[in-house]
Amino acid sequence: MMDYAMAKEAVCNVIPGGDEIDARDVIQYLLMRGKLRTKDLAEATSTDARNEFRRMKAEAERHQASGETEEVVADDGVAMEPPAMNKSRSLEPANDSCSASQSDIIPLPVSSQLPQHQPQQQPQEQQPQNRYRHVALLFHYDGASYSGFAQNLPPSSSTSTSANTTSASATNDNSIERSLFAALTKSCLISSRKEANYSRAGRTDRGVSAWGQVVALNLRSAVPLGARLPGDGGEQYGREVTEADLPGGDDVPLDCWAPVRMKKKKNNKSKRGKEKSDPQSVINNNDDTSQPKPLLKRRQITELSYTRILNNILPPTIRILGWCPVTPSFSARFSCSDRTYRYHFIRRNLNLSAMDEALQKMVGRHDFRNLCKMNVEQVCNFERVIKSAKIVVATDAKRGSIDDAVSANGDDGNHQYHYHDTCHFEIIGQAFLWHQIRCIVSVLFMVGKGLESPDIVDHLLDVQTNPGKPSYPMADELPLVLHRCSYGGTDGGDRVPFRRSVRDLWRVACDLEKRWEEMTLAAARLRDGLDSLLIEATVTRGDLETYVREILEERRKKSRRTSHGNLLLTDRRDESTAGARDPSSVLPWGDALREIELRLGVRPTPEGQKEPLHIPLLQRSRGTTYEEKVASLNAASKDDSEETKKRRRERYEENIVRKRKTTEEDQAFYDHMLSQGGR
């Protein structure tokens, strides 16, 4: 009995230059015809026999691809299985008039089966591709319930330890950007953040809100690629639609010839066995059927309502206000000409005149390294320009500036009727440093309470004399608001005119009215409680005297621990009438408050009874200077085992050393970016 190796050798001897594939084809051909005798090898190796086998093989593969299992009949009428249906077993020759002996049969090994071929895919109709356009979005958010604006993104390359830390922080991420990109992805307006060409105007911290935040990115357009404008004269089609031709709003339609999006054909059949037909078949006039062209149809296309789409998905604390198409080079960050911040506060006993005097000293170009959180890994220039700054007093009856408030009070320091007035700082500049606004407000509050003079600002801005920042806490983050991001041109016009619709603004206004009403009613309930205490609550004269003595004794103890004292240590009451007062007499709580303010100089505040002893800023401990921080980073070796120090050094080299440019290059860059805007 001949084995496979002997048969292969025999075939290769007959076929000059034959290989293993040729041997398999010949043997398989003989099996399919029911002849596998040694004397038939020469006949099977002829050119006609090999061509016939290839034809039968292709026919068998076609039947397998169509799912049919019908028999394939050879030229001599012998039925056989298709080659792809053969299993891993030895094939027996068919019984015919020329039956072979067992010694002439060559067993077919498993490895000699024909390879399985995948069915060829039929060419599909070409579908219109999505078009993306660069768009600026204007929106607001309430940052009280968020961890900040920026999303925690994994670094491009990091160690396993830092990667695990980033993964954990990303899981707990509750940023505004995360909610924004979740809505963009769900609405299919972007393919990915990496390809969106994304930029933001400002990066607010935890708890900080914004009413005029701006981001720019590429969003999907309703006008697909391949759309063409109507032709001129006798031509049916004109030139292809470009980004400059796209609608500038969702209320202005574009007349164009747009590709028709075809429905996918289904391979299933109806109950009667008839194949379902596609009512929207594409007629291809191109001779090359392998690349069909979509059908163009005359349409009036309006742009997607980005505002409405995103507001239907975003949480109620984040709302899109409008959008504007912008140039491809536009950056929400570098193309911004002005940023306006507002910090709200309650007036109480603050000296607004002294605060305004200190605030005006900051207007202009100054080095604010003592009025910010110094981040040497990201910033090397701490000079910023404040264009304007003022204090605005807002009450239920009027809204005015600090001059109106001072004239209303007679500038006599009596805030009896203005204790609960709401005020805010308004500071306008092109760019700000990290925590700059909150540090400025903290110093202004010290001036307003009389703990520092307005001249303290001059000392803090003199970085030659005071290179190190004094230690002091920042103001609270919740009252801070990024009020506006402006994109003004050199001619005074607006380079980015945002489109706002009545329907969208109506919905946003209703949401804000609802939240304002809830909070205002809550404030009214609290104010009613304060008023009821003033009228209905009473205390005894003896209890009042005891409280005053305890506060004075506590202040004296604090003053002994330091040479710097800012608290009133003596009772300022009228001694001539002190002995005539009966300790058991009763007086209203409102009268008691006025007497405590007269004798101790304090009123109830959110800080409670805590009265920290103030140390002048210039006499406090100083932080590390910029030069010392940079020297510390440069002293860190690249082989240092401390991962934190190594990462800080890498960020410093990446952001400061490698990207450092000359003054002329920076000026040319900002001039170009400030010229970009809406279309």
Side-chain angles (χ1 to χ4, degrees):
M1 180 177 179
M2 296 180 61
D3 57 6
Y4 179 78
M6 297 174 60
K8 174 185 175 183
E9 183 179 359
V11 172
C12 292
N13 291 333
V14 177
I15 305 176
D19 55 8
E20 185 178 359
I21 300 301
D22 293 325
R24 291 179 182 177
D25 290 347
V26 170
I27 296 172
Q28 186 67 25
Y29 173 78
L30 295 175
L31 288 172
M32 295 170 63
R33 296 183 63 87
K35 300 176 182 180
L36 192 55
R37 296 174 299 185
T38 307
K39 65 179 183 179
D40 297 322
L41 289 177
E43 177 185 355
T45 56
S46 63
T47 304
D48 295 338
R50 294 168 64 187
N51 291 337
E52 181 185 4
F53 172 78
R54 292 189 179 95
R55 180 186 61 78
M56 296 169 59
K57 177 181 174 182
E59 185 178 3
E61 291 176 349
R62 181 177 60 80
H63 284 281
Q64 182 188 11
S66 61
E68 299 176 1
T69 58
E70 60 186 14
E71 294 180 333
V72 180
V73 182
D75 293 343
D76 55 357
V78 179
M80 58 184 178
E81 288 183 41
M85 301 298 293
N86 293 335
K87 307 299 180 183
S88 57
R89 59 180 176 85
S90 298
L91 300 178
E92 298 291 337
N95 294 327
D96 56 1
S97 58
C98 301
S99 60
S101 62
Q102 294 294 332
S103 61
D104 293 334
I105 297 178
I106 304 175
L108 182 66
V110 176
S111 60
S112 65
Q113 296 181 27
L114 294 176
Q116 300 286 340
H117 294 274
Q118 297 294 335
Q120 297 181 355
Q121 295 183 357
Q122 299 296 330
Q124 301 293 333
E125 293 87 353
Q126 181 181 354
Q127 296 288 355
Q129 297 181 359
N130 293 328
R131 181 194 300 269
Y132 290 87
R133 61 187 308 187
H134 206 202
V135 173
L137 295 178
L138 174 67
F139 65 103
H140 82 79
Y141 53 85
D142 185 0
S145 57
Y146 293 94
S147 59
F149 181 78
Q151 184 179 6
N152 293 328
L153 296 176
S156 57
S157 61
S158 60
T159 61
S160 59
T161 304
S162 60
N164 295 336
T165 304
T166 305
S167 177
S169 60
T171 304
N172 301 326
D173 185 15
N174 185 31
S175 62
I176 289 96
E177 271 188 354
R178 182 180 182 182
S179 299
L180 177 62
F181 275 97
L184 290 169
T185 304
K186 185 176 182 179
S187 59
C188 300
L189 292 178
I190 62 172
S191 56
S192 65
R193 174 167 179 162
K194 184 178 180 180
E195 300 176 358
N197 192 19
Y198 174 74
S199 62
R200 59 196 174 210
R203 176 174 177 171
T204 56
D205 299 321
R206 175 192 298 270
V208 179
S209 303
W211 298 110
Q213 178 69 277
V214 177
V215 297
L217 71 170
N218 295 333
L219 297 182
R220 177 172 58 88
S221 175
V223 181
L225 290 174
R228 308 184 72 88
L229 295 175
D232 298 333
E235 297 182 359
Q236 186 178 16
Y237 303 144
R239 61 177 177 83
E240 188 170 347
V241 175
T242 62
E243 188 170 352
D245 302 321
L246 298 178
D250 52 11
D251 56 345
V252 180
L254 175 66
D255 183 15
C256 64
W257 290 88
V260 178
R261 187 173 296 275
M262 304 302 299
K263 294 183 179 180
K264 294 183 179 180
K265 294 183 179 181
K266 299 181 180 180
N267 295 327
N268 60 336
K269 297 182 179 180
S270 61
K271 295 182 179 179
R272 297 184 179 180
K274 296 182 179 180
E275 186 176 354
K276 296 181 179 180
S277 60
D278 189 357
Q280 295 184 358
S281 59
V282 177
I283 301 177
N284 181 21
N285 296 325
N286 190 8
D287 296 335
D288 186 7
T289 58
S290 62
Q291 296 180 355
K293 293 184 178 180
L295 179 67
L296 295 180
K297 183 179 180 180
R298 187 75 172 264
R299 296 175 56 190
Q300 298 285 331
I301 302 180
T302 57
E303 189 55 278
L304 298 176
S305 179
Y306 301 121
T307 303
R308 195 170 311 162
I309 293 173
L310 293 175
N311 286 342
N312 289 333
I313 304 175
L314 288 169
T317 51
I318 304 176
R319 281 290 176 262
I320 308 296
L321 301 178
W323 66 278
C324 177
V326 291
T327 57
S329 301
F330 174 85
S331 172
R333 176 187 177 187
F334 296 111
S335 299
C336 183
S337 58
D338 298 316
R339 293 172 176 85
T340 302
Y341 279 93
R342 288 184 176 180
Y343 192 95
H344 299 266
F345 64 96
I346 304 299
R347 181 172 184 175
R348 302 195 183 278
N349 288 332
L350 295 174
N351 188 342
L352 299 186
S353 299
M355 295 170 67
D356 184 67
E357 180 183 352
L359 183 60
Q360 297 307 318
K361 293 178 179 293
M362 302 180 190
V363 177
R365 181 182 294 275
H366 302 284
D367 192 316
F368 287 93
R369 67 181 63 189
N370 290 331
L371 291 168
C372 71
K373 186 174 181 179
M374 193 180 304
N375 184 9
V376 298
E377 304 164 19
Q378 303 286 343
V379 181
C380 62
N381 181 14
F382 297 92
E383 286 190 356
R384 294 296 184 270
V385 177
I386 293 183
K387 298 183 177 181
S388 65
K390 62 181 179 180
I391 302 177
V392 178
V393 180
T395 62
D396 295 336
K398 66 176 183 178
R399 176 181 293 268
S401 63
I402 178 62
D403 298 331
D404 299 331
V406 170
S407 61
N409 295 339
D411 200 17
D412 58 356
N414 182 14
H415 306 291
Q416 183 68 30
Y417 301 103
H418 303 275
Y419 186 75
H420 291 102
D421 285 353
T422 58
C423 311
H424 67 261
F425 302 105
E426 183 175 281
I427 303 177
I428 303 176
Q430 182 178 354
F432 293 90
L433 298 166
W434 192 13
H435 295 327
Q436 180 179 349
I437 299 296
R438 294 171 62 186
C439 290
I440 290 176
V441 172
S442 179
V443 174
L444 293 178
F445 281 162
M446 297 179 193
V447 175
K449 295 176 182 178
L451 306 178
E452 297 284 349
S453 67
D455 295 335
I456 187 61
V457 175
D458 296 327
H459 296 286
L460 294 177
L461 296 178
D462 186 3
V463 296
Q464 300 297 330
T465 307
N466 301 288
K469 175 187 174 183
S471 177
Y472 60 89
M474 294 186 299
D476 187 55
E477 69 275 4
L478 291 178
L480 181 59
V481 176
L482 176 58
H483 183 70
R484 185 187 303 109
C485 294
S486 302
Y487 297 87
T490 56
D491 56 352
D494 191 359
R495 289 182 287 115
V496 186
F498 288 99
R499 275 74 169 175
R500 303 174 177 89
S501 67
V502 175
R503 182 184 297 274
D504 297 331
L505 289 183
W506 181 272
R507 178 179 177 181
V508 173
C510 291
D511 292 341
L512 293 179
E513 286 286 349
K514 179 181 179 180
R515 296 177 56 201
W516 175 85
E517 182 175 325
E518 293 174 352
M519 296 182 180
T520 302
L521 293 178
R525 294 193 300 268
L526 297 176
R527 185 62 181 268
D528 182 66
L530 291 174
D531 294 340
S532 64
L533 290 178
L534 294 176
I535 300 174
E536 300 176 3
T538 59
V539 295
T540 61
R541 170 64 62 180
D543 188 16
L544 175 61
E545 297 295 335
T546 301
Y547 178 79
V548 171
R549 287 195 300 269
E550 291 176 352
I551 295 299
L552 290 175
E553 184 61 26
E554 184 179 352
R555 290 180 177 180
R556 295 188 184 98
K557 291 180 180 180
K558 290 182 179 180
S559 64
R560 298 189 190 104
R561 294 195 292 266
T562 179
S563 59
H564 311 292
N566 61 288
L567 301 177
L568 185 63
L569 303 180
T570 58
D571 192 349
R572 296 191 300 183
R573 68 176 179 176
D574 189 359
E575 296 295 340
S576 60
T577 60
R581 298 178 181 179
D582 184 6
S584 60
S585 60
V586 178
L587 68 160
W589 175 242
D591 295 341
L593 286 180
R594 284 189 289 271
E595 187 167 340
I596 292 175
E597 182 180 10
L598 176 64
R599 298 170 64 178
L600 300 178
V602 294
R603 290 192 64 176
T605 60
E607 292 78 10
Q609 295 183 356
K610 182 179 180 180
E611 294 180 327
L613 189 65
H614 179 76
I615 300 177
L617 289 179
L618 297 181
Q619 299 178 15
R620 297 186 183 186
S621 60
R622 305 296 179 92
T624 308
T625 64
Y626 173 76
E627 291 74 18
E628 293 173 346
K629 290 179 180 292
V630 173
S632 176
L633 289 177
N634 293 329
S637 174
K638 295 183 179 180
D639 299 330
D640 199 323
S641 58
E642 188 177 351
E643 293 294 336
T644 303
K645 189 175 294 185
K646 290 175 60 178
R647 290 195 298 269
R648 292 186 59 190
R649 177 186 174 87
E650 292 174 358
R651 288 195 295 264
Y652 172 75
E653 293 179 350
E654 177 68 23
N655 299 320
I656 303 300
V657 179
R658 300 174 186 174
K659 296 182 179 180
R660 184 170 295 170
K661 298 180 180 180
T662 63
T663 305
E664 293 76 12
E665 291 175 339
D666 285 338
Q667 187 63 37
F669 170 77
Y670 284 107
D671 290 343
H672 170 70
M673 297 307 299
L674 290 176
S675 65
Q676 303 300 311
R679 291 185 177 274

